[in-house]
């Protein structure tokens, strides 16, 4: 077989150089063109610009194609649903629920805030109306004068008004961290607190000043503490442990459950809430003169009840409250409540007293709670329908809420009043020693004029102008069972005085074993005062408002 020769092609070399193309070149030989004698040895080759990219489809044609596809998909969807019997869902506007809150104290405003924030998170439309019988929001701690405005020393609007902290102590906001954190969350700020110096307190029992010491307990000078140990023995430091227990009770992480027993289990307060205070003292080894001369006066100042009638939990909270009442300053309760209401933008009706609530059929298909009310300065009564009602006013008579057949639980929590009297003096009150506070327990004899008075306390200095001269005077507070205006005016030489009755100042804090529900009717009626069977603080009221509001929202979601 003849093998065919492989044919190769070559490019003839130039006349100048007989050399072949450069070795290892991947370029075809044809690029090495012939050069004459004037061809330079180095050649600058001009690079060609890359061609610009041209799309296959112009933008207008792409849009047209997209439109055609969309139309086809839509036609196919409707043909498919028509042939298969499937009806596409029609968007439904969620219903709008109306909620009335009766009472603009901490519990009512807590319910308002929780409803306002959480309804938006859960896409529930709620219209809220807040009713308050007083001209001012804030509950019983918001004092108002005969004109409906704040109370000013000397009735002078140029003075700083009487605020809630003037009644309870400067540490009111500090001592209620649940309220503090909730208010910071909606107002977007951060409260700062200032630690204050310790204060001197005198204790009067019968005809004598039986003790004088300082508060708070953890700042008491060593020599003063040793003197108390010498007089009262181990009850002093055991009472200090009781105070710490009460101070450390915080409800910031409490569950929003309507089961009060479960709430107490979560907070580990079942035993002290169901135990009589006297049994709690005996088990802790606190007694003797310390109990009768100091602890009883502290408890009676806070609760207007004696130790034999309250629970161990109430006693712990009272001892703690008296200890840190003026330990810190920062924030004003009423001011922050007003800011919260303003931030929600809900309808607020102050100076409007709710006189009755009744569940009625309003047409062939609907029923509602008719809230009847009277507004100050307007004749007659008005009424409006609401889907849900929250009672956050402890002075509201539940039997006015509906017929007894509709209300599943009537009030088992009872309250008693307290009088608060503010007055000014030209000099410091030194008849009881140079102290900031005087606590009384059954005063008599030379202190007989203060019978029924629980406390006298220095509040702050005030400045007034008399005959063109600036005068510094001293503002004091008195708490009493039956009012002390007459006795104070006759015995202390006051320059100004204002007295107010707080109708439901203190609940009776017996050691309950059965607790009433928050929900009074399955038709949509709640109350917050059920929690006052445990204790009465701003944080407890705030927690009750959140619990009730959460239960309302859960019902609306079903």
């Amino acid at each position: 077989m003849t093998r065919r020769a492989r044919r190769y092609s070559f490019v003839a070399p130039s006349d100048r150089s007989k050399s072949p193309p450069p070795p290892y070149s991947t370029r075809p030989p044809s690029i090495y063109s012939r050069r004459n004698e004037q061809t330079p040895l180095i050649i600058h080759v001009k690079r060609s610009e890359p061609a610009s990219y041209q799309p296959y489809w112009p933008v207008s044609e792409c849009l047209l194609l997209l439109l055609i596809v969309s139309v086809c998909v839509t036609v196919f969807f409707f043909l498919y649903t028509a042939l298969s019997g499937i009806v596409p869902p029609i968007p439904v506007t969620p219903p709008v629920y109306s909620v009335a809150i009766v009472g603009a104290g901490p519990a009512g405003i807590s319910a308002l805030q929780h409803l306002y924030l959480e309804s938006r998170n859960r896409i529930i439309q709620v219209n809220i109306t807040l009713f308050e019988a007083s001209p001012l929001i804030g509950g019983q701690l918001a004092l108002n004068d005969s004109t409906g405005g704040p109370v000013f020393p000397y009735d002078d609007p140029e003075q700083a008004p009487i605020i809630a902290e003037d009644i309870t102590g400067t540490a009111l906001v500090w001592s209620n961290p649940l309220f503090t954190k909730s208010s910071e969350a909606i107002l977007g700020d951060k409260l700062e607190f200032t630690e204050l110096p310790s204060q001197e307190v005198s204790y009067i029992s019968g005809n004598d000043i039986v003790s004088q010491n300082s508060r708070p307990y953890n700042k008491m000078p060593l020599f003063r503490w040793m003197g108390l140990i010498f007089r009262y023995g181990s009850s002093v430091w055991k009472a200090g442990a009781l105070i710490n227990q009460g101070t450390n009770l915080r409800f910031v992480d409490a569950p929003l459950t309507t089961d009060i027993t479960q709430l107490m289990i979560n907070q580990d307060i079942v035993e002290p809430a169901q135990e009589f205070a006297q049994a709690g003292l005996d088990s802790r080894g606190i007694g003797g003169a310390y109990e009768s001369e100091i602890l009883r006066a502290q408890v009676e100042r806070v609760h207007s009840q004696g130790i034999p009638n309250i629970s161990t939990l109430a006693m712990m909270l009272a001892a703690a409250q008296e200890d840190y009442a003026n330990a810190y300053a920062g924030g004003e309760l009423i001011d922050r409540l007003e800011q919260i209401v303003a931030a929600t933008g809900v309808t607020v009706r102050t100076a409007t007293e709710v006189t009755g609530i009744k569940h009625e059929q309003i047409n062939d298909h609907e029923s509602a709670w008719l809230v009847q009310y009277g507004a100050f300065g307007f004749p007659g009564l008005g009424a409006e329908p609401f889907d849900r009602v929250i009672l956050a006013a402890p002075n509201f008579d539940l039997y006015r809420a509906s017929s007894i057949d509709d209300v599943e639980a009537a009030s088992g929590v009872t309250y008693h009043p307290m009088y608060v009297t503010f007055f000014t003096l030209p000099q410091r009150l030194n008849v009881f020693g140079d102290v900031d506070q005087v606590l009384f327990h059954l005063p008599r004899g030379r202190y007989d004029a203060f019978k029924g008075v629980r406390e006298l306390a220095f509040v702050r200095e005030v400045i007034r102008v008399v005959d063109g001269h600036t005068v510094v005077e001293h503002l004091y507070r008195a708490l009493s069972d039956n009012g002390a205006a007459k006795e104070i005016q006759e015995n202390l030489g006051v320059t100004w005085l204002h007295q107010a009755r707080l109708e439901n100042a203190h609940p009776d804090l017996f050691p309950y074993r059965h607790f009433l529900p928050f929900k009074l009717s399955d038709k949509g009626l709640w109350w917050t005062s059920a929690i006052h069977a445990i204790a009465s603080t701003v944080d407890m009221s705030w927690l009750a408002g959140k619990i009730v509001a959460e239960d309302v929202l859960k019902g609306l979601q079903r």
Side-chain angles (χ1 to χ4, degrees):
M1 182 172 62
T2 304
R3 185 176 181 182
R4 298 180 60 183
R6 186 176 298 173
R7 301 177 64 180
Y8 295 89
S9 61
F10 294 92
V11 177
S14 65
D15 295 333
R16 179 179 174 86
S17 113
K18 303 296 182 179
S19 61
Y24 310 112
S25 173
T26 59
R27 292 178 292 181
S30 59
I31 67 171
Y32 297 96
S33 56
R34 300 177 183 272
R35 302 290 178 181
N36 55 30
E37 292 298 325
Q38 283 74 37
T39 302
L41 295 177
I42 299 176
I43 303 173
H44 297 278
V45 180
K46 183 178 181 181
R47 299 178 182 269
S48 60
E49 296 294 330
S52 59
Y53 173 75
Q54 295 294 333
Y56 288 99
W57 295 90
V59 175
S60 59
E61 294 183 13
C62 290
L63 293 176
L64 178 61
L65 179 61
L66 181 61
L67 177 62
I68 294 172
V69 171
S70 300
V71 171
C72 292
V73 171
T74 304
V75 171
F76 173 78
F77 173 75
F78 278 103
L79 288 176
Y80 172 76
T81 54
L83 294 175
S84 61
I86 300 175
V87 179
I90 301 174
V92 178
T93 303
V96 179
Y97 299 98
S98 58
V99 179
I101 301 176
V102 182
I109 295 177
S110 170
L112 163 67
Q113 176 178 324
H114 194 79
L115 282 174
Y116 174 80
L117 295 177
E118 291 300 316
S119 64
R120 282 153 176 75
N121 294 337
R122 305 178 197 187
I123 318 177
I124 302 174
Q125 296 190 38
V126 180
N127 287 338
I128 308 169
T129 301
L130 182 64
F131 293 92
E132 172 55 49
S134 170
L136 306 174
I137 69 170
Q140 296 187 97
L141 294 178
L143 298 187
N144 59 90
D145 61 13
S146 57
T147 66
V151 176
F152 298 96
Y154 314 112
D155 303 319
D156 179 7
E158 296 298 322
Q159 297 285 341
I162 303 295
I163 60 176
E165 285 72 16
D166 293 332
I167 301 175
T168 63
T170 59
L172 178 59
V173 175
W174 174 87
S175 62
N176 290 279
L178 176 60
F179 165 75
T180 301
K181 292 183 179 297
S182 296
S183 65
E184 289 174 342
I186 191 171
L187 300 179
D189 61 2
K190 181 69 175 178
L191 283 173
E192 299 293 337
F193 297 101
T194 303
E195 191 171 357
L196 300 180
S198 58
Q199 292 188 320
E200 295 295 308
V201 183
S202 285
Y203 295 85
I204 293 178
S205 180
N207 196 38
D208 301 307
I209 300 176
V210 293
S211 181
Q212 183 173 326
N213 56 45
S214 60
R215 64 177 186 184
Y217 176 83
N218 59 8
K219 285 187 176 181
M220 188 180 299
L222 180 60
F223 74 91
R224 179 69 58 80
W225 186 78
M226 293 301 297
L228 291 176
I229 293 290
F230 183 81
R231 179 177 176 86
Y232 299 114
S234 62
S235 291
V236 175
W237 57 265
K238 291 178 180 178
L242 181 76
I243 290 170
N244 288 335
Q245 283 183 283
T247 305
N248 293 330
L249 281 176
R250 295 291 185 263
F251 301 96
V252 175
D253 300 318
L256 300 183
T257 173
T258 55
D259 187 338
I260 292 183
T261 300
Q262 186 60 45
L263 173 65
M264 293 193 303
I265 292 173
N266 178 271
Q267 298 297 297
D268 195 23
I269 56 174
V270 174
E271 182 178 350
Q274 297 182 345
E275 178 185 58
F276 276 99
Q278 192 61 58
L281 289 176
D282 293 342
S283 64
R284 289 168 172 78
I286 303 172
Y290 186 89
E291 175 194 344
S292 61
E293 295 179 358
I294 294 181
L295 192 56
R296 283 188 181 181
Q298 292 175 336
V299 169
E300 291 170 1
R301 182 262 180 249
V302 176
H303 297 312
S304 294
Q305 292 174 264
I307 287 177
N309 300 321
I310 64 173
S311 67
T312 298
L313 177 64
M315 177 182 63
M316 289 166 50
L317 291 173
Q321 183 175 327
E322 269 304 289
D323 187 63
Y324 58 63
N326 291 286
Y328 295 87
E332 292 184 9
L333 176 70
I334 306 300
D335 177 64
R336 295 191 72 77
L337 291 176
E338 291 174 344
Q339 290 185 58
I340 292 170
V341 173
T344 63
V346 304
T347 302
V348 182
R349 297 180 180 173
T350 55
T352 303
E353 182 179 5
V354 173
T355 58
I357 302 173
K358 191 173 184 180
H359 198 264
E360 291 285 354
Q361 197 77 23
I362 58 176
N363 58 41
D364 292 339
H365 308 288
E366 294 180 297
S367 61
W369 290 93
L370 292 181
V371 176
Q372 185 182 61
Y373 57 86
F376 179 78
F378 294 90
L381 298 175
E384 289 183 35
F386 291 91
D387 297 310
R388 305 289 189 270
V389 176
I390 297 174
L391 299 176
N395 60 338
F396 189 84
D397 184 358
L398 284 180
Y399 289 97
R400 289 188 288 158
S402 190
S403 67
I404 190 63
D405 294 331
D406 291 332
V407 179
E408 296 174 351
S411 176
V413 179
T414 56
Y415 297 84
H416 51 272
M418 178 188 73
Y419 287 84
V420 56
T421 309
F422 286 95
F423 58 94
T424 55
L425 298 174
Q427 297 88 25
R428 289 270 297 187
L429 184 61
N430 295 323
V431 65
F432 307 104
D434 187 15
V435 296
D436 301 290
Q437 183 190 42
V438 183
L439 295 180
F440 297 89
H441 176 65
L442 300 177
R444 64 177 184 273
R446 58 177 172 167
Y447 301 119
D448 195 60
F450 300 99
K451 188 175 294 184
V453 174
R454 303 291 186 186
E455 175 206 45
L456 288 176
F458 171 72
V459 179
R460 63 174 186 265
E461 292 183 343
V462 291
I463 299 175
R464 63 183 303 201
V465 178
V466 180
D467 298 329
H469 299 285
T470 300
V471 178
V472 177
E473 295 196 343
H474 307 273
L475 179 66
Y476 279 85
R477 172 188 70 235
L479 301 180
S480 59
D481 296 335
N482 301 305
K486 181 180 178 182
E487 291 80 1
I488 290 174
Q489 285 179 322
E490 292 177 350
N491 292 276
L492 298 181
V494 302
T495 55
W496 171 83
L497 182 143
H498 176 86
Q499 181 168 278
R501 175 185 169 98
L502 309 183
E503 191 62 39
N504 297 276
H506 304 293
D508 292 314
L509 297 171
F510 304 113
Y512 290 94
R513 294 186 177 274
H514 172 71
F515 300 96
L516 297 173
F518 287 101
K519 193 172 186 178
L520 298 176
S521 173
D522 286 333
K523 298 172 183 177
L525 178 66
W526 289 261
W527 69 323
T528 61
S529 297
I531 208 164
H532 289 163
I534 304 176
S536 178
T537 65
V538 171
D539 264 5
M540 292 299 282
S541 295
W542 197 263
L543 178 60
K546 292 185 67 175
I547 288 173
V548 167
E550 178 64 21
D551 203 40
V552 171
L553 289 172
K554 287 180 178 178
L556 297 179
Q557 285 181 302
R558 295 189 185 105

